[in-house]
Amino acid sequence: MDIYPAVDIRNGRCVRLMQGDFAREEVFSDDPLAVAEAWFDEGAPLIHVVDLDGAREGGRANAAVVEAMAGRGIPVQVGGGIRSYEDVRSLLDSGARRVVIGTVAVEDPCLRRRLLGEFGERVVVGLDCRDGRVSTRGWLRQE
């Protein structure tokens, strides 16, 4: 089993949501890049980064922060709001080691197969579950 520290980003800050509830947020830092660097300096082999704004609204709201992490050589696996082939390609091209897909893996099986076939282990499927049901779109929808 591999365990990676997570840096969840919302509104440009490191946060934790209580059970995926955006109304119950705890802020840990205003500098996600510094937090990722600290984990990396402590020896973390990979940092799991989640763009919570992207997960909720779709798109890559905190892309600049993720790209800055990768640009500094911090090994990141990133998820949240990644809903297209172009999103995956762009993240991998900018230096992300891995990309995590969730919503698109559930909603678009053809794209999921294409991504996994083309990028192999650089794309992983991550699913959030609540009460035995898969949650998508940043915990807003149950499948």
Side-chain angles (χ1 to χ4, degrees):
M1 174 188 301
D2 297 318
I3 299 174
Y4 305 119
V7 175
D8 292 357
I9 305 171
R10 182 166 183 228
N11 297 323
R13 302 180 301 178
C14 290
V15 303
R16 182 175 69 191
L17 303 182
M18 303 304 170
Q19 299 178 332
D21 184 349
F22 282 82
R24 295 172 45 206
E25 169 187 283
E26 182 177 354
V27 176
F28 288 95
S29 172
D30 290 327
D31 190 350
L33 180 56
V35 172
E37 285 178 327
W39 281 119
F40 182 59
D41 291 345
E42 289 292 322
L46 191 72
I47 312 298
H48 178 73
V49 180
V50 180
D51 182 341
L52 292 171
D53 300 302
R56 185 175 187 180
E57 299 159 17
R60 297 178 43 230
N62 293 288
V65 176
V66 173
E67 290 170 4
M69 290 175 185
R72 290 199 186 176
I74 299 170
V76 295
Q77 95 175 359
V78 59
I82 301 161
R83 309 245 168 92
S84 71
Y85 176 90
E86 293 76 17
D87 288 343
V88 172
R89 173 90 267 158
S90 176
L91 284 162
L92 293 173
D93 287 347
S94 71
R97 298 273 175 94
R98 260 190 250 157
V99 175
V100 181
I101 57 172
T103 296
V104 76
V106 172
E107 294 180 355
D108 191 341
C110 291
L111 179 56
R112 177 188 68 227
R113 283 190 292 277
R114 178 183 178 200
L115 292 168
L116 294 172
E118 185 169 334
F119 300 112
E121 292 182 6
R122 294 195 70 200
V123 172
V124 295
V125 175
L127 300 175
D128 296 312
C129 296
R130 180 182 289 147
D131 299 326
R133 297 177 69 196
V134 174
S135 296
T136 60
R137 300 194 171 266
W139 292 89
L140 298 178
R141 194 159 104 193
Q142 267 50 64
E143 302 290 332

